[in-house]
Amino acid sequence: MLKGIDNVGVAVTDLNRSIDFYEKLGFVRGQDYEADVRGCSMTCGSAVLFLFQTKQTKLQGVKREPTLAQNPPGLDHISFLVEDVNRRRAGLKAKGIVVLGEPADQDWGARLVGLKDPDGTNLYLLQYL
């Protein structure tokens, strides 16, 4: 029986750049990992990401857009639950993080805004209404 998700692994091209980005989002750097791959855990509340440096030299980026239905199969995005999307967006912009557009209310009961990490991973800030 599954108990939950332990972590979400995110392959990155520049570990230090990604650590800096996720710290600006509010994550705290946890345990470093150096064995077959160099990485570290990043935590924020109950969310845990494992960032790791890819060894790929010929990167083949997967194009993913905020319009979900057109994206290829596979892990598509990470949505982070926040108390106030508008306030969080303003705080991130003040830290130099590019946010994609304005927050918008969704017909399924949430307000959200999108952004991308340095390697193009789709991220969302989500607030239930």
Side-chain angles (χ1 to χ4, degrees):
M1 170 193 259
L2 294 177
K3 294 167 125 182
I5 294 174
D6 180 72
N7 70 77
V8 175
V10 181
V12 301
T13 57
D14 183 326
L15 184 59
N16 291 329
R17 177 183 69 178
S18 293
I19 290 168
D20 181 58
F21 174 85
Y22 282 98
E23 285 178 336
K24 287 178 182 174
L25 280 184
F27 280 80
V28 175
R29 185 175 182 165
Q31 183 176 353
D32 287 337
Y33 182 82
E34 298 233 13
D36 57 328
V37 67
R38 190 173 134 248
C40 72
S41 62
M42 302 290 293
T43 60
C44 184
S46 63
V48 180
L49 300 179
F50 178 67
L51 306 180
F52 61 94
Q53 180 78 42
T54 181
K55 294 180 181 180
Q56 290 288 326
T57 56
K58 294 182 181 180
L59 299 177
Q60 300 173 11
V62 174
K63 186 169 175 70
R64 296 192 182 277
E65 297 298 331
T67 53
L68 303 178
Q70 301 304 315
N71 289 340
L75 183 63
D76 186 81
H77 65 274
I78 304 171
S79 294
F80 299 112
L81 189 60
V82 298
E83 286 185 29
D84 185 326
V85 169
N86 293 343
R87 188 173 66 227
R88 192 75 176 123
R89 177 186 175 274
L92 293 176
K93 284 186 74 165
K95 293 177 182 180
I97 292 179
V98 175
V99 181
L100 307 173
E102 298 291 326
D105 292 345
Q106 307 300 306
D107 59 4
W108 45 272
R111 182 169 183 78
L112 65 82
V113 69
L115 60 150
K116 291 185 181 278
D117 79 0
D119 289 298
T121 302
N122 285 328
L123 307 174
Y124 294 95
L125 304 178
L126 181 136
Q127 168 191 354
Y128 284 103
L129 302 173

